[in-house]
Amino acid sequence: MSTTPDGRPVPPPHTDERTMLESWLDFHRETLALKCAGLDDDQLRVASVAPSPMTLLGLVRHLAEVERHWFQRIFAVRAVPQVYEDSGADGFALAPDSGIEEALATWRAEVALGRELIAGASLDDSGKLSEEEARYLGDQGVSLRWILVHMIEEYARHNGHADMLRERIDGTTGA
């Protein structure tokens, strides 16, 4: 597999649908980690622009929650608690004693478990949305294909936020 100069995996230009979706999701996952690389705890806690409390550390925590939600709760239909019970429903709130090493380890563990839960599943296999979420789609079932596309979108959107946060912190842009 090819990688970018910064080490992220490059999605193959010609492959089957499953590999394409998983490759793009992995690319965006690694982009998030790259945006946090080389920063200290104080920098990772710098908020974007008032009144938003969004930080790079908060994004990592949030995406650990997102990984758990879509792969464990929705796809595998598991009743699991939040990853961070002290950080609100979305995971953005920060705990003073929780830094990036712990957050990245937790996030990577959620990513690994998500991969394990979907291994061997068909893109047409369905998870089950809550009644509240189903109101938006008009269906309580949601395919693995839909989940993977949604996860790519979720990471791409938040990586845009991470780009702006990183630029504000130290001027680093791109990637």
Side-chain angles (χ1 to χ4, degrees):
M1 174 179 289
S2 303
T3 60
T4 60
D6 54 38
R8 290 174 296 157
V10 175
H14 303 282
T15 190
D16 62 280
E17 181 183 17
R18 174 72 177 256
T19 302
M20 183 72 67
L21 292 169
E22 289 180 350
S23 296
W24 273 108
L25 180 53
D26 286 341
F27 176 83
H28 282 291
R29 285 169 169 156
E30 290 310 310
T31 298
L32 175 67
L34 177 67
K35 290 297 171 182
C36 297
L39 298 176
D40 64 33
D41 192 63
D42 288 339
Q43 291 171 312
L44 291 159
R45 292 172 183 272
V46 171
S48 57
V49 176
S52 175
M54 187 180 296
T55 65
L56 286 169
L57 179 56
L59 282 173
V60 173
R61 290 169 59 102
H62 169 69
L63 286 160
E65 294 287 0
V66 170
E67 291 276 350
R68 177 171 286 191
H69 179 73
W70 286 101
F71 294 115
Q72 288 192 61
R73 288 190 194 106
I74 303 301
F75 188 72
V77 193
R78 292 182 171 178
V80 293
Q82 286 183 239
V83 177
Y84 300 104
E85 294 188 22
D86 62 344
S87 62
D90 58 14
F92 281 113
L94 303 180
D97 59 342
S98 176
I100 192 64
E101 295 306 318
E102 179 272 332
L104 285 172
T106 299
W107 169 70
R108 288 195 188 282
E110 290 299 325
V111 168
L113 184 53
R115 284 186 182 122
E116 182 181 310
L117 291 171
I118 67 170
S122 165
L123 292 176
D124 294 321
D125 287 349
S126 286
K128 184 177 179 184
L129 295 171
S130 68
E131 288 182 28
E132 181 181 340
E133 291 170 312
R135 278 184 251 153
Y136 295 108
L137 292 182
D139 193 327
Q140 225 175 346
V142 62
S143 71
L144 177 57
R145 177 183 291 103
W146 191 98
I147 292 169
L148 290 171
V149 170
H150 172 68
M151 291 296 291
I152 293 166
E153 174 273 330
E154 180 87 10
Y155 273 92
R157 180 168 30 99
H158 287 312
N159 282 337
H161 298 138
D163 281 338
M164 294 188 309
L165 283 160
R166 184 65 191 246
E167 184 175 9
R168 178 166 191 244
I169 293 165
D170 69 359
T172 300
T173 60

